[in-house]
């Protein structure tokens, strides 16, 4: 089996999306870097992946709860495979109330995209929907929005529907719905765009091994070079990297621009001041989705940045705390 596994619902989708004809068991290794399986074959044949950790792209036509596509991602996580989308993402996209936390940042990025486009070429006509494939969009005005959307929801194809703030179509866009779009139902230009985006995604997601002696593990350290009072000083991080190197662990500093590279590493250490409403939480969340150890993890960030929670927890466990009152 190849490093990348595409899951499809039927043989027609295999031919449409990967250009292959599946065998009687619903499995095919392509000449390229993909293996293609039906979701049924993937669920029924765990022995094909023993001792392996493939990267799975679930292209099922349905991600609804307890569907075959849902169980494919669920069992991928149980088998230790890296899969998109995860069941957590499937559930989040089921209802707008569940993904509402992402809306303010996404709409602010939309606003900036529209403003920048108007300043560059004067175009004001805005779309009523946008197709996002692996973070890429056809309309380059919304390239930044597409990348951010994929940062939030790692789904192969997403369809975003907009409402305009005024009838002229030149106002601020509001997100009406974010929903997965079955890749098997794409056709024509949309299908060609999807295939190109998938090819680009699978090429850049994982870096080639370095020429030097390979370390046993690679450790990403998220830092902000401009932070005036970082949790760890540069000297401390350099010392830590030297110690780690002696133990066969490669430490590489990354910044908020490197979210797309996170899956290249084995673990994440966040050495920025964390907050739920900035990129540090997205990094922690992505690391958990990739099955990576991470400090701080998203649950700890949610809890430890909330003083009401901490006061209740510490008081309830008899830990002395400064006098406090909830206003």
């Amino acid at each position: 089996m190849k490093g990348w596994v595409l899951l499809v619902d039927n043989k027609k989708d295999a031919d449409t999306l990967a250009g292959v004809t599946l065998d009687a068991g619903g499995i095919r290794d392509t000449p390229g870097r993909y293996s293609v399986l039906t979701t049924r074959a993937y669920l029924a044949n765990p022995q094909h992946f023993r001792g392996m950790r493939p990267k799975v792209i679930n292209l099922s036509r349905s991600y609804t709860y307890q569907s075959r596509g849902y169980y494919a991602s669920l069992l991928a996580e149980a088998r230790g495979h890296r899969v998109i989308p995860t069941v957590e993402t499937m559930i989040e996209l089921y209802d707008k109330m569940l993904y509402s936390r992402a809306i303010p940042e996404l709409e602010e990025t939309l606003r900036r995209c529209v403003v920048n486009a108007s300043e560059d070429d004067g175009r004001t006509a805005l779309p009523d929907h946008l197709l996002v494939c692996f973070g890429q969009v056809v309309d380059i005005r919304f390239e930044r929005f597409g990348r951010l959307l994929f940062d939030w929801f790692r789904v192969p194809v997403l369809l975003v529907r907009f409402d305009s703030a005024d009838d002229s179509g030149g106002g601020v866009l509001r997100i009406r719905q974010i929903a997965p779009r079955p890749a098997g139902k794409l056709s024509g230009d949309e299908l060609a765009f999807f295939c190109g985006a998938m090819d680009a995604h699978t090429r850049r997601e994982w870096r080639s091994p370095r020429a030097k002696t390979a370390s046993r593990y690679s450790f990403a350290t998220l830092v902000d070079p401009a932070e005036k009072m970082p949790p760890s000083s540069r000297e401390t991080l350099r010392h830590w990297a030297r110690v780690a190197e002696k133990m066969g662990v490669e430490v590489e500093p990354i910044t908020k621009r490197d979210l797309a590279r996170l899956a290249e590493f084995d673990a994440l250490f966040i050495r920025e001041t964390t907050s739920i409403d900035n990129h540090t939480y997205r990094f922690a969340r992505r690391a958990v989705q990739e099955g990576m150890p991470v400090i701080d993890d998203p649950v700890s960030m949610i809890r430890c940045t909330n003083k009401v929670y901490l006061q209740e927890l510490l008081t309830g466990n008899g830990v002395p705390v400064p006098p406090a009152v909830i206003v």
Side-chain angles (χ1 to χ4, degrees):
M1 285 290 169
K2 304 286 177 46
W4 286 95
V5 174
L6 308 183
L7 300 184
V8 296
D9 278 340
N10 51 56
K11 295 183 177 182
K12 178 183 177 181
D13 286 350
D15 181 58
T16 300
L17 301 174
V20 300
T21 301
L22 300 181
D23 60 24
I27 302 172
R28 177 71 68 193
D29 278 339
T30 71
R33 58 189 179 280
Y34 303 129
S35 295
V36 185
L37 288 78
T38 62
T39 49
R40 182 186 295 273
Y42 180 78
L43 295 174
N45 295 281
Q47 69 275 8
H48 285 292
F49 302 97
R50 283 178 183 162
M52 301 175 59
R53 198 183 183 195
K55 299 166 288 287
V56 180
I57 299 177
N58 186 347
L59 299 177
S60 175
R61 287 177 173 246
S62 175
Y63 298 140
T64 56
Y65 181 62
Q66 292 192 338
S67 65
R68 195 177 295 162
Y70 176 90
Y71 274 109
S73 283
L74 187 66
L75 289 190
E77 295 176 23
R79 295 170 184 174
H81 301 170
R82 297 184 177 183
V83 61
I84 60 171
T86 63
V87 291
E88 179 188 4
T89 300
M90 294 177 183
I91 292 171
E92 284 183 339
L93 291 174
Y94 180 75
D95 191 313
K96 189 173 183 178
M97 290 296 295
L98 299 177
Y99 61 79
S100 59
R101 186 176 57 203
I103 296 297
E105 184 180 10
L106 290 170
E107 289 188 338
E108 172 60 20
T109 301
L110 269 176
R111 184 191 67 80
R112 293 179 182 177
C113 289
V114 172
V115 169
N116 292 339
S118 300
E119 291 176 350
D120 290 342
D121 57 19
R123 286 189 292 172
T124 57
L126 302 178
D128 59 2
H129 71 277
L130 198 65
L131 189 72
V132 182
C133 300
F134 294 98
Q136 296 190 32
V137 294
V138 174
D139 191 336
I140 60 173
R141 294 181 297 172
F142 299 96
E143 185 176 2
R144 183 177 178 184
F145 172 79
R147 291 197 303 267
L148 180 62
L149 184 69
F150 193 58
D151 286 344
W152 271 103
F153 308 108
R154 289 173 63 79
V155 178
V157 189
L158 287 169
L159 183 65
V160 188
R161 300 187 186 278
F162 304 122
D163 289 321
S164 181
D166 58 48
D167 295 334
S168 68
V172 177
L173 290 176
R174 301 296 182 191
I175 295 175
R176 174 156 49 98
Q177 182 189 35
I178 303 173
R181 176 79 180 273
K185 294 184 179 180
L186 300 176
S187 61
D189 292 341
E190 288 184 344
L191 178 61
F193 178 73
F194 164 79
C195 291
M198 181 170 66
D199 181 72
H201 173 76
T202 55
R203 287 182 184 277
R204 72 177 177 226
E205 187 79 12
W206 302 88
R207 61 186 173 185
S208 300
R210 295 187 175 184
K212 69 175 185 179
T213 302
S215 301
R216 289 182 299 167
Y217 303 102
S218 59
F219 218 115
T221 307
L222 180 62
V223 296
D224 178 3
E227 190 169 3
K228 294 182 179 180
M229 297 182 66
S232 298
S233 67
R234 293 183 181 181
E235 292 74 18
T236 298
L237 294 177
R238 281 197 289 264
H239 176 70
W240 176 55
R242 289 193 295 269
V243 173
E245 185 177 7
K246 296 177 182 178
M247 302 175 69
V249 179
E250 177 191 24
V251 174
E252 181 174 336
I254 61 172
T255 68
K256 64 181 181 180
R257 298 180 181 273
D258 294 316
L259 185 60
R261 296 183 52 225
L262 187 59
E264 299 173 2
F265 301 94
D266 297 303
L268 172 64
F269 190 26
I270 299 177
R271 291 288 79 201
E272 290 191 46
T273 302
T274 56
S275 176
I276 299 301
D277 58 358
N278 73 8
H279 63 277
T280 54
Y281 180 78
R282 289 204 307 277
F283 270 79
R285 182 174 173 273
R286 171 72 65 80
V288 170
Q289 290 174 342
E290 297 287 354
M292 299 165 54
V294 53
I295 300 174
D296 303 339
D297 66 272
V299 174
S300 296
M301 289 173 64
I302 291 171
R303 292 174 176 175
C304 293
T305 57
N306 190 298
K307 304 310 176 187
V308 175
Y309 171 87
L310 286 179
Q311 198 272 346
E312 184 78 15
L313 180 68
L314 296 174
T315 301
N317 286 275
V319 179
V321 297
V325 60
I326 300 174
V327 179

